[in-house]
């Protein structure tokens, strides 16, 4: 690169060390006028209890089961799960080109709160800590099964991310094989650990904490930052300071610190455009295949789609589908925008 290169102005590529892929950054494009699609912000006025909601306490679900009148978190098998445990083994292979294999697993739904009108940023740290504890229990229980080799815990928030029910909830898909994204991360982290004897994210976090350019917030046990290789405009990652392989290894204080980090980050998201900020988020942790996986370092991804405002979103089309992922604002710019947000929710926090 020439001496006059400026990463805040000129297009460039950044390497995603965690996935082994490249992303194109085009900061000059953020200045172009937007005449594309405008989204309708989500309707935020919801009751604390909705008699038509299939996730509210005491209500009947679509499949006919009735929820208990739960007062905290609640988890159940998805009535229409994408994976089922009773799939017969088998598959097909025609010339090595037409390949398919049976895939079994379990899909679970986690209700974060009995309150229909709350989201994670509107919940207290103790309430979110109960969600973290349930994540731990479910990971331990599902991961111990011999037919489960990966447990994916995630949340889709908002209709823009395909969430069909506004009641605060997440999901767990546990399956026989390791999905593509964590498989890439396993490969990259293992290669780094074998060469350096340290986790990739431990060394990456050290660099980020020295530079402070992309750090959004931190507490005693976790750091929230916009990754150097971020694809989505306000993408973030929560990284544990201590290199643990999965959420079951967190201490009591670390579980509370994770709840604190999630709450503080999601409040900043909501305050960014004064809306209930949509995103897909999920924990990435070691496969549950019986191996120790010392190369793995627990972290949580947040992928929000909004770009410029509550009504302008980032689309992954054209070049992104055919070439590489691409973003129009630098990760440093996005981190700065998130850092400057208040940690007091713009709507206040309702009593639970």
């Amino acid at each position: 690169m020439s001496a006059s290169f400026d990463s805040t102005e000129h297009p460039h590529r950044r390497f995603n060390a965690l996935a082994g892929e490249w992303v194109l950054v085009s900061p000059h494009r953020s200045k172009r006028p937007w005449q594309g699609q405008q989204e309708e912000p989500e309707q935020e006025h919801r009751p604390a209890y909705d008699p038509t909601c299939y996730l509210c306490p005491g209500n009947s679900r679509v499949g006919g089961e009735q929820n208990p009148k739960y007062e905290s978190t609640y988890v159940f098998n998805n009535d229409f799960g994408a994976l089922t445990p009773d799939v017969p083994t088998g598959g097909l292979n025609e010339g090595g080109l037409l390949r398919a294999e049976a895939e079994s697993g379990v899909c679970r739904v986690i209700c974060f709160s009995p309150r229909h009108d709350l989201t994670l940023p509107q919940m207290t740290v103790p309430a979110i800590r109960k969600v973290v504890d349930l994540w731990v229990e479910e990971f331990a229980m599902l991961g111990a099964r011999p037919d489960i080799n990966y447990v994916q815990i995630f949340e889709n928030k908002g209709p823009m991310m395909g969430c069909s029910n506004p009641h605060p909830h997440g999901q767990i898909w546990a399956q026989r094989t390791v999905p593509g994204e964590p498989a890439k991360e396993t490969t990259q982290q293992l290669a780094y650990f074998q060469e350096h004897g340290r986790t990739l994210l431990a060394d990456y976090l050290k660099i980020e904490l020295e530079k402070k350019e992309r750090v959004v917030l931190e507490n005693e046990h976790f750091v929230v930052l916009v990754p150097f290789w971020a694809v989505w405009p306000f993408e973030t990652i929560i990284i544990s300071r201590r290199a643990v392989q999965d959420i079951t290894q967190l201490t009591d204080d670390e579980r509370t610190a994770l709840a604190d980090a999630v709450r503080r980050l999601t409040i900043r998201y909501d305050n960014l455009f004064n809306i209930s900020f949509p995103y897909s988020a999920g924990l990435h942790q070691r496969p549950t295949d019986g191996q120790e996986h010392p190369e793995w370092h627990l972290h949580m991804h947040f992928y929000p789609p909004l770009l410029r405002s509550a009504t302008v979103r980032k689309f992954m089309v054209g070049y992104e589908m055919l070439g590489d992922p691409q973003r129009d604002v630098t990760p440093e710019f996005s981190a700065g925008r998130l850092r400057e947000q208040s940690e007091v929710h713009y709507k206040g926090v309702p009593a639970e």
Side-chain angles (χ1 to χ4, degrees):
M1 294 182 180
S2 67
S4 60
F5 171 76
D6 184 347
S7 63
T8 66
E9 295 289 339
H10 302 138
H12 60 282
R13 300 171 77 209
R14 296 193 184 196
F15 183 65
N16 182 340
L18 196 55
E21 299 172 342
W22 290 88
V23 54
L24 176 64
V25 183
S26 310
H28 59 291
R29 277 170 53 88
S30 62
K31 301 173 185 177
R32 77 191 195 278
W34 181 261
Q35 294 181 314
Q37 178 172 320
Q38 303 277 326
E39 306 292 334
E40 288 292 332
E42 180 187 357
Q43 174 59 252
E44 294 191 62
H45 302 292
R46 300 196 303 270
Y49 167 76
D50 182 349
T52 67
C53 170
Y54 61 83
L55 297 182
C56 277
N59 290 358
S60 295
R61 301 201 301 273
V62 178
E65 297 290 329
Q66 186 172 23
N67 299 325
K69 292 186 177 180
Y70 62 96
E71 298 180 352
S72 179
T73 56
Y74 172 54
V75 61
F76 60 91
N77 284 335
N78 194 319
D79 298 314
F80 300 95
L83 296 163
T84 58
D86 54 355
V87 179
T89 59
L92 63 87
N93 188 335
E94 297 184 20
L97 297 176
L98 306 183
R99 298 171 58 189
E101 57 184 33
E103 182 69 350
S104 59
V106 178
C107 291
R108 305 271 278 167
V109 176
I110 292 181
C111 295
F112 297 154
S113 168
R115 286 276 298 270
H116 184 76
D117 58 338
L118 295 184
T119 57
L120 287 175
Q122 295 172 292
M123 294 167 59
T124 63
V125 170
I128 300 175
R129 165 63 195 265
K130 292 178 181 178
V131 176
V132 173
D133 288 340
L134 192 54
W135 288 343
V136 172
E137 293 171 13
E138 289 292 309
F139 181 87
M141 182 268 292
L142 292 168
R145 292 175 48 155
D147 59 329
I148 298 298
N149 288 312
Y150 196 80
V151 179
Q152 182 59 66
I153 300 169
F154 66 98
E155 177 195 6
N156 293 324
K157 179 171 179 268
M160 194 180 296
M161 301 309 294
C163 182
S164 59
N165 190 311
H167 193 104
H169 73 283
Q171 299 184 57
I172 303 176
W173 291 15
Q175 61 191 95
R176 182 181 62 84
T177 60
V178 180
E181 293 304 311
K184 292 176 191 175
E185 293 189 1
T186 298
T187 298
Q188 292 299 113
Q189 291 181 100
L190 179 59
Y192 191 92
F193 188 83
Q194 288 176 335
E195 181 177 354
H196 301 280
R198 301 180 302 275
T199 69
L200 184 156
L201 285 181
D203 284 0
Y204 171 65
L205 185 57
K206 182 180 178 181
I207 294 173
E208 291 287 15
L209 288 173
E210 289 172 352
K211 289 183 171 294
K212 296 289 186 181
E213 294 176 306
R214 289 170 291 272
V215 174
V216 175
L217 64 93
E218 52 187 298
N219 60 30
E220 185 179 357
H221 299 292
F222 288 89
V223 178
V224 181
L225 55 90
V226 178
F228 174 79
W229 52 76
V231 172
W232 294 93
F234 291 97
E235 176 182 334
T236 57
I237 184 172
I238 302 179
I239 304 175
S240 62
R241 293 184 187 269
R242 189 167 65 94
V244 297
Q245 286 72 58
D246 68 67
I247 197 171
T248 68
Q249 297 169 335
L250 296 179
T251 66
D252 184 75
D253 286 345
E254 287 171 331
R255 292 190 193 187
T256 300
L258 177 57
D260 171 74
V262 168
R263 180 176 183 271
R264 292 168 63 193
L265 171 61
T266 53
I267 286 176
R268 288 173 186 259
Y269 274 148
D270 280 11
N271 287 347
L272 188 63
F273 299 134
N274 284 356
I275 61 162
S276 183
F277 205 78
Y279 58 72
S280 282
L283 289 159
H284 269 176
Q285 44 197 332
R286 68 168 178 88
T288 57
D289 55 4
Q291 305 301 313
E292 292 186 0
H293 291 287
E295 77 278 6
W296 258 90
H297 191 135
L298 174 70
H299 57 282
M300 186 173 186
H301 294 283
F302 281 78
Y303 299 125
L306 293 177
L307 174 58
R308 301 177 181 217
S309 68
T311 61
V312 177
R313 67 177 297 180
K314 166 70 176 177
F315 289 92
M316 289 292 183
V317 295
Y319 181 85
E320 289 92 348
M321 297 177 73
L322 300 167
D324 284 325
Q326 181 270 340
R327 60 180 291 134
D328 290 350
V329 294
T330 66
E332 295 75 29
F333 171 85
S334 298
R337 288 292 311 279
L338 288 171
R339 270 197 306 270
E340 67 188 19
Q341 301 306 312
S342 169
E343 290 190 356
V344 177
H345 198 275
Y346 76 99
K347 292 180 66 176
V349 179
E352 295 189 52

